[in-house]
């Protein structure tokens, strides 16, 4: 399975839980931590890594424009930006793979049937035998 983007992960979470991501986030805040909270956290980290990749890629492009001279001061910025870009890619890849693996292992439970469950016949209790009372004095 290829790495999934945060948008694809969000769609899979919505499909799994049958509600929009914003509703699921509100719902998860009212509950103790569980699978939904974990998936939403993984999605958040993946989206953050994608934004970081975009930011650092754009910054790196600006730093190495052909008409811009690169001196000693600029080299440190280029190297720092490249390092941060590589870190963001590693985070994105790790979160994307882990989240996709978890989502692949989960399945939506079938909706309960509209019919009421079959009633079992009620069997009357057998009366207990009367216990003899103690002789009175």
């Amino acid at each position: 399975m290829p790495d999934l983007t945060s948008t694809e992960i969000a769609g899979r979470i919505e499909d799994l839980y049958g509600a929009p991501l914003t509703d699921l986030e509100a719902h998860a805040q009212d509950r103790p931590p569980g699978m939904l909270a974990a998936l939403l956290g993984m999605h958040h980290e993946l989206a953050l890594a994608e934004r970081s990749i975009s930011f650092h890629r754009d910054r790196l492009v600006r730093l190495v424009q052909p008409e811009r001279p690169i001196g000693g001061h600029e080299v440190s910025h280029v190297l720092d930006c490249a390092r941060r870009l590589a870190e963001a890619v590693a985070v994105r890849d790790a979160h994307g793979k882990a989240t996709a693996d978890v989502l692949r292992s989960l399945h939506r439970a079938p909706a309960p049937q509209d019919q009421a469950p079959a009633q079992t016949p009620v069997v009357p209790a057998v009366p207990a035998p009367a216990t003899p009372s103690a002789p009175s004095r």
Side-chain angles (χ1 to χ4, degrees), residues 43-129:
H43 170 262
H44 174 75
E45 293 299 320
L46 180 59
L48 183 63
E50 288 175 344
R51 286 191 302 273
S52 183
I53 289 169
S54 183
F55 173 81
H56 291 296
R57 182 187 57 228
D58 292 346
R59 183 167 179 248
L60 192 57
V61 166
R62 286 191 308 272
L63 288 171
V64 296
Q65 290 178 0
E67 65 275 356
R68 184 176 177 165
I70 299 179
H73 180 71
E74 288 79 15
V75 168
S76 66
H77 288 289
V78 169
L79 291 174
D80 181 59
C81 189
R83 179 187 58 81
R84 290 175 188 252
L85 178 59
E87 288 173 353
V89 168
V91 169
R92 182 211 48 204
D93 291 351
H95 279 288
K97 182 176 180 349
T99 307
D101 290 346
V102 170
L103 285 170
R104 192 177 322 114
S105 72
L106 300 174
H107 303 284
R108 186 169 182 167
Q113 295 183 1
D114 292 335
Q115 300 173 354
Q119 295 274 337
T120 56
V122 178
V123 179
V126 177

